[in-house]
Amino acid sequence: MITWMQRHKKYLIITIWISTIAFVGAGFVGWGQYSYGDKAGAVAKVGNVEVTMGELQKTYSNLYAQYNKMFQGNFDEEKAKSFGLQSQALKQLTDQALILNLALSYDLEINDEELLTELKTQEYFFKDGVFDKEVYKQVLSRNNMSIKEYEVDVKKQLLIQKTLKLLPVDVSKNELDIINSILNIADKINYKILSDEKINVDTSDAALKPYWESKQQEFMSEVTYEVKFIKQDRVSNKYDEAKINEHYLANKTHFKDVEGKLLPLEGARVSVINELDSKATKDAALREYIAYKKGKLASDVEVSTAIISASNNPYNAEVLEKISKLSITSPFLKPILVNDAYFTFELTKVNPSKAKSFEEAKKDVLPMFIAEQKKNKLLELAKNSVATFTGDTTDFITNTDAAKLTNMDVSDANEFLIALFSSQEKRGFISLKNGNVVLYNILEQKLLDNTNTNPNNPIVRLKSAMFNEGLIKNLQNKYKTEIFIEGL
């Protein structure tokens, strides 16, 4: 499901925002870690239409609820982030704003009668099968929405629909006939799967070395950094009561229990002393750093050496990143905390990346060489076998019958059938992403009688989605879009 949705996301989004007028009762889902101020403040402006934070929050909530329904309740914030749900919500609103600008340019509007007609179709406001004004008020109140706010949203969505109805997407009978023919062609095939499991590869140095020589620039050594450093271990001091009390009073909010309540001094004493020790450790490290830079380190301070790289880093990624930004003319790094100690580094030498020797690169070259050789030998085997092979024979299948190829995974079978029904060859072979090759021979073809002329069928929806995508691109060139939120 996730793979399909990611692959077809642009059509999914268009479908969602065109088909949804208002979503009530889903509950609000926010992303929490962002704060942009006033709920009504503008987060974007498209032409003459502003997009507010309230709209963005509601759209995010609605999208979250719809995805959660598709995932049968197994959608969470982690999946929302992987799908870029925040960006989707903003994109949905800016696309709507483009259509609204078009509507404004033609002086289109929604009157109260059209609004009421729409409200009377929304079943969550029904009582005994008809629209009920009191239920309407109660439902909106439970969802923290005012009547005015909701009706503005509904009018906006109705205006979008009215505008799009002025630009109908028609599918001709010829188009339907052609697409139906393509979708309903069925093949009876004979096929055979070839894998590289039994293919042997010569991995001797004599065979491997020419391959390495042709790709030396792909096998480079790491950049390494030679450094000197001093270490400031954690300080553990004794503090008089006045010092402990002074620090506690100045930093009370640092010391809370599991319920978020402020701890009294006695309950916070250990944490207060830990904070004082941490501050003393940092102060001591900064004094040593200044002395180190000035060449005035005390004789009893040990200066150590190390060579650091991405694969040999006893500290952490932040240390390596900061050291990589130093230079020989500005070699000192301010004290940086690693576990409970502070380290001050001095860069002494940078060893740039260079091509590895054959022996150094061999362990990395070998798996690439084997994979490429197996692929080439498998393709050679396929070319030599395609004219004479005998395999399994299917019934008549279409490009949606992956489940009928029982000796293949469904994903591999789908990949094979998509390629098969795109091929012009009666006999041939198809390479799959998993490395296997499928030989095929089309024995017979026929046209199934599954014609679908319903205007709501996938063919019509796909054409509508493509038209709407083109319309949005055209309007993006006409109306300027300004985004006021960084990172979206």
Side-chain angles (χ1 to χ4, degrees), residues 177-191:
D177 289 344
I178 291 169
I179 298 298
N180 276 318
S181 295
I182 293 171
L183 294 179
N184 293 313
I185 290 175
D187 289 348
K188 178 184 284 190
I189 65 170
N190 186 262
Y191 72 101

Side-chain angles (χ1 to χ4, degrees), residues 423-461:
S423 174
Q424 303 298 314
E425 304 294 329
K426 179 181 181 300
R427 183 189 284 266
F429 61 87
I430 291 166
S431 298
L432 302 181
K433 291 176 184 176
N434 65 4
N436 291 344
V437 174
V438 184
L439 306 173
Y440 70 87
N441 179 23
I442 300 174
L443 304 175
E444 296 181 61
Q445 281 188 333
K446 71 176 182 179
L447 187 61
L448 302 178
D449 185 19
N450 288 331
T451 303
N452 185 353
T453 57
N454 186 329
N456 292 318
N457 72 30
I459 302 166
V460 179
R461 291 202 304 273

Side-chain angles (χ1 to χ4, degrees), residues 34 37 55 60 64 66 81 87 97 164 183 186 195 197-198 298 317 346:
Y34 297 95
E55 289 173 322
Y60 180 90
Y64 189 101
Q66 291 177 57
K81 286 180 182 178
S87 297
L164 292 175
L183 294 179
S195 74
E197 292 178 359
K198 296 182 180 180
E346 178 191 3

Side-chain angles (χ1 to χ4, degrees), residues 279-293:
K279 184 177 184 301
T281 306
K282 186 175 183 179
D283 290 344
L286 287 169
R287 288 193 295 272
E288 296 290 0
Y289 162 69
I290 293 170
Y292 190 19
K293 283 186 70 176

Side-chain angles (χ1 to χ4, degrees), residues 1-6 12 63-76 78-80 82-83 85 88:
M1 171 67 80
I2 292 177
T3 303
W4 182 90
M5 290 171 75
Q6 288 175 332
L12 178 68
L63 278 174
Y64 189 101
Q66 291 177 57
Y67 275 108
N68 195 40
K69 185 177 180 181
M70 293 177 194
F71 280 85
Q72 299 179 331
N74 295 316
F75 195 69
D76 54 25
E78 186 176 343
K79 285 190 178 74
S82 71
F83 273 71
L85 212 62
Q88 285 191 37

Side-chain angles (χ1 to χ4, degrees), residues 105-123:
S105 71
Y106 285 103
D107 294 325
L108 296 177
E109 60 181 27
I110 299 299
N111 59 39
D112 291 341
E113 184 179 346
E114 290 172 303
L115 171 63
L116 183 58
T117 299
E118 173 57 35
L119 293 177
K120 287 182 176 180
T121 68
Q122 297 181 1
E123 295 184 3

